[in-house]
Structure formats: structure tokens, C-alpha cells
Amino acid sequence: MILRQFLDTEPTVAASYLLGCGGQGICAVVNPTEDIQRFQDAADSLGMRITYVVDTHAHADHLSGGRQLAEAVGAAYVLHELALGNVILQVLHTPGHTPEHISLLVTDKRRADEPWFVLTGHTLMVGDMGRTELASSPEEGARDLFHSAQRLKTLPDHIEVLPGAFAGSVCGRALSGKPTSTIGFERRHNKAFAIEDEEEFVRFMLAYIPPRPPQAEEIRRKNLGR
């Protein structure tokens, strides 16, 4: 498997990923930001062809480069299970941060028949879970997010967590500057993720909501292609 992580702090905090099968020379890009050339350059340097582009959700804090990248390289812009040679990306619907939010559970068949890591977007991040009012009522989003957390908790503790944001992002609160973790570590040390009672979780998520990103509605609209 080939995996590259791209971390941005300007103009907003975001994490993007290029991953795929080196043997077959095909890859996907997940949550690309507007600077799409760097993903094309990375794929070229690795001798890989971008066949899929995926956004885990319609972002409200920054413009996505997903549709532009897919068009530029002739890739499919899709939201379902993807096969990239020996690498399988299974889509998990994990609403809460936004209603359409997905996570991608990744298996490298050359290593094992079981998943290795999960790309969680803004659902589960290192130290917190995503804010819930950007595309729904805060309470409705929090209840959806609770059930998404329960779904992610069914994954084994060793599964690595690769989120879509880290410290400095407006989409979470107590986010770590370390942009990776594991399900097990977050289960033990992430206050939101550790909560097992739905009502307690909703109260925790609504207790403090960060200031809304500037132009959030317009950015989401553009990222949805409207």
C-alpha cells in the first residue's frame, strides 16, 4: 500500500490523503483541498494514476478540490466501496458532523484480510468529535454523531484513526496536534468518544460549540456542487 498524508494549516486546518496500490499503480485521493496540483504531482512521482476522488462530507470551513481534481485527472468522484487493486475502501455512513458524512475503512489485502485503518473525516478526530450544528440542529446532529461513534467503537482497538482535521480546526474543540491515533487510544482518552450514554453525550457536545466558520453555508453549497 501507498499512503501519503497532506496537512494544511492555512487558510484553514485540514488533512488530505492519497492512498492506493503501488503494484497496480492506482490510487484515490480523500478530502483534497483546493490546491489540486500537489495531489497530481504526488501521484505522478509515485507512478500512480488517480482513479477515485472522495470527500467524506460537504465541508463548511473550506472549499473542496474534489470535483476539480476528479475532472482534471479523469477520475470518478464517488461515494461507495472502492477497489484500488489490493487496497479496499469500505464506506461507512457516519452522520453527525453533517448528515451525509462518511468514513472509509481501509484494508490492504497484501498485508491481511482485515482492516488496517479508518479515514474518519470530521466524525472522530484525535481528542474530540466533530461539531454537530453545521448542517442540522445541534441536538439532532449530536444524536446522529452518538450513533456514529457507537458504530466506530465496534472496530478493533488496533485500527488506526486518520482524521480530516487536527489542532487549529474550527470543526472540533480539544483537538490534538498529532494527526493520527487509534480506536483504542481514543476510546480511552477522548472524552466525547468515551461516553456511552446518549443523553450525556448530547449534553457534552452542546455544552460548548465553537464560533461558526465564516461563510459556512455558502462554502457547503459550493462543495455540494450547487
Side-chain angles (χ1 to χ4, degrees):
M1 176 190 287
I2 300 294
L3 173 66
R4 296 290 184 271
Q5 185 182 54
F6 302 82
L7 303 178
D8 289 303
T9 58
E10 295 291 342
T12 189
V13 173
S16 307
Y17 299 89
L18 181 153
L19 69 159
C21 178
Q24 295 194 24
I26 53 177
C27 64
V29 177
V30 179
N31 286 336
T33 48
E34 282 191 285
D35 179 13
I36 64 171
Q37 188 60 50
R38 60 181 174 160
F39 304 110
Q40 295 173 258
D41 292 343
D44 288 344
S45 70
L46 293 165
M48 304 182 81
R49 179 169 57 91
I50 300 171
T51 55
Y52 297 112
V53 179
V54 183
D55 275 316
T56 55
H57 61 294
H59 304 276
D61 59 333
H62 67 275
L63 288 172
S64 165
R67 295 176 193 278
Q68 296 93 323
L69 178 61
E71 183 177 350
V73 300
Y77 185 70
V78 292
L79 295 174
H80 53 68
E81 182 169 298
L82 314 178
L84 300 165
N86 291 302
V87 179
I88 306 298
L89 282 65
Q90 178 186 350
V91 173
L92 308 177
H93 185 211
T94 50
H97 178 61
T98 62
E100 77 284 352
H101 200 294
I102 62 169
S103 298
L104 298 171
L105 186 62
V106 182
T107 300
D108 181 357
K109 303 289 281 187
R110 284 186 178 273
R111 298 293 311 279
D113 289 329
E114 61 184 270
W116 188 354
F117 59 89
V118 61
L119 302 174
T120 52
H122 292 182
T123 292
L124 173 62
M125 294 173 282
V126 183
D128 199 8
M129 298 194 71
R131 62 191 301 159
T132 63
E133 89 303 344
L134 292 175
S136 65
S137 74
E139 181 175 342
E140 180 185 5
R143 293 191 184 281
D144 285 344
L145 190 64
F146 174 79
H147 294 289
S148 293
Q150 298 306 108
R151 184 174 191 183
L152 291 173
K153 285 178 187 178
T154 66
L155 299 175
D157 280 353
H158 69 269
I159 297 292
E160 296 177 7
V161 173
L162 280 66
F166 52 100
S169 170
V170 297
C171 289
R173 299 164 299 182
L175 298 182
S176 173
K178 181 179 182 293
T180 62
S181 186
T182 64
I183 290 291
F185 195 87
E186 295 307 299
R187 193 195 308 273
R188 293 178 61 188
H189 300 292
N190 182 319
K191 290 181 180 179
F193 193 56
I195 296 173
E196 293 292 344
D197 178 77
E198 183 172 347
E199 299 305 321
E200 181 184 354
F201 181 86
V202 171
R203 289 194 297 271
F204 183 84
M205 294 305 299
L206 302 189
Y208 171 66
I209 298 175
R212 205 168 171 81
Q215 301 177 303
E217 291 80 6
E218 182 173 352
I219 291 172
R220 266 187 58 83
R221 180 181 59 78
K222 289 182 177 179
N223 286 333
L224 286 166
R226 296 173 182 168

